[in-house]
Amino acid sequence: MTALWKAEYQKTRRRYLLLFVLGMTAMELIWALHGKLSEDAIEKGWYMLLYQMPVTNMIVLPMLAMLISSRLGDLEHKNNMLQHLCTITERGKLYDAKLLYGAGLMLTSILLQWFGIIADGFFRHHFGGDFLVKEYGLLLLFTIMPSFAVYILLHTVAMCCEKPAVPYIVGIVGEFVGLLSMFLPYRCLYYGTPWGYYGALMLMGAEYDRETRISTYFYRDVNWGGFAAVSIMAVVIFFIGRMFFCRKEV
């Protein structure tokens, strides 16, 4: 497995995939943290980010997963590379190695984004109140699991479909459904796709008063049932996707 990981690194070294991940992460941080905040926003900053980041992650992280999975899958489909690889290594190991490599890139982006928003709150905007240790730990956990579920699905599509456009189509449709799930009261959108769990696992709600221009934030119940559901979904997608890839003709 270690040799396969090294091979993935060698294949992507001159494609600047890590640089691309860093650039997307920087773009997300700039988008989420730019602008001048009001005194009320600074005072409620820790709560504000708990509300805003799941929405931002819903847009950026599935897009990143779509691009990484498509790029890694396209490497193997070009010049019948997949056919050659399957003669020297087990298909299951190849599927696992590429999945772990791509998931590692996703995790890198998530951790950098998470540390970035915390550092901004402490050192740039100087948010009021105490840092919400438990809530931000849950935010990290509830960001990782939906992102991994989305990535596993897109990784399977990229590895099983020769056309590089297919992961993009699946990713765009899924992201559209995920965004709808945050604004429409349909539980099937929330819980029916991995994209919907960014909204289903939100820790904070908000009400905005247009006259005073003040936002009031309130806690939502921690959705451990939703976390268990997306975890099971990720495992099921992994085993079914691995089975399809191992049985695929190359």
Side-chain angles (χ1 to χ4, degrees), residues 17-54:
L17 196 55
L18 179 59
L19 185 62
F20 173 76
V21 171
L22 296 177
M24 285 284 289
T25 306
M27 182 195 73
E28 181 182 12
L29 287 172
I30 293 171
W31 182 26
L33 303 174
H34 81 286
K36 185 177 180 180
L37 300 179
S38 66
E39 293 184 5
D40 179 70
I42 292 175
E43 185 64 27
K44 302 174 182 176
W46 296 121
Y47 301 100
M48 178 187 68
L49 287 181
L50 283 176
Y51 176 74
Q52 290 183 352
M53 289 313 297

Side-chain angles (χ1 to χ4, degrees), residues 11-226:
K11 284 186 286 185
T12 59
R13 186 175 60 175
R14 295 185 182 278
R15 292 177 177 265
Y16 307 106
L17 196 55
L18 179 59
L19 185 62
F20 173 76
V21 171
L22 296 177
M24 285 284 289
T25 306
M27 182 195 73
E28 181 182 12
L29 287 172
I30 293 171
W31 182 26
L33 303 174
H34 81 286
K36 185 177 180 180
L37 300 179
S38 66
E39 293 184 5
D40 179 70
I42 292 175
E43 185 64 27
K44 302 174 182 176
W46 296 121
Y47 301 100
M48 178 187 68
L49 287 181
L50 283 176
Y51 176 74
Q52 290 183 352
M53 289 313 297
V55 181
T56 307
N57 289 332
M58 167 63 242
I59 297 172
V60 177
L61 291 178
M63 188 185 303
L64 182 62
M66 175 177 61
L67 295 169
I68 293 174
S69 59
S70 179
R71 196 75 177 270
L72 292 178
D74 190 45
L75 284 173
E76 309 306 345
H77 293 304
K78 283 184 175 179
N79 302 319
N80 294 322
M81 183 62 68
L82 187 60
Q83 185 175 9
H84 296 297
L85 285 173
C86 289
T87 62
I88 60 176
T89 188
E90 297 178 17
R91 292 190 182 193
K93 289 184 178 180
L94 178 61
Y95 178 92
D96 295 344
K98 294 187 75 68
L99 175 63
L100 290 174
Y101 184 77
L105 292 173
M106 289 292 299
L107 183 61
T108 299
S109 177
I110 293 169
L111 290 175
L112 287 174
Q113 168 252 111
W114 186 73
F115 282 115
I117 62 174
I118 293 174
D120 179 84
F122 275 119
F123 304 114
R124 180 169 173 249
H125 282 119
H126 305 285
F127 290 151
D130 296 328
F131 174 62
L132 308 174
V133 178
K134 176 184 176 182
E135 287 80 357
Y136 274 81
L138 289 174
L139 174 65
L140 177 62
L141 184 64
F142 290 169
T143 302
I144 289 174
M145 190 50 65
S147 299
F148 278 11
V150 169
Y151 183 77
I152 294 169
L153 175 59
L154 294 177
H155 168 76
T156 300
V157 173
M159 292 299 291
C160 293
C161 299
E162 295 183 4
K163 294 183 178 180
V166 178
Y168 289 104
I169 295 172
V170 175
I172 290 170
V173 172
E175 188 152 351
F176 178 72
V177 172
L179 284 172
L180 284 180
S181 71
M182 287 188 166
F183 303 103
L184 297 178
Y186 299 120
R187 295 177 68 87
C188 60
L189 295 178
Y190 247 42
Y191 298 107
T193 68
W195 289 268
Y197 285 90
Y198 288 99
L201 298 177
M202 287 180 69
L203 298 168
M204 197 70 58
E207 293 180 354
Y208 180 70
D209 190 324
R210 293 187 177 181
E211 294 183 1
T212 62
R213 296 185 178 181
I214 293 177
S215 296
T216 302
Y217 299 97
F218 55 90
Y219 282 108
R220 298 173 57 179
D221 293 334
V222 179
N223 192 354
W224 289 114

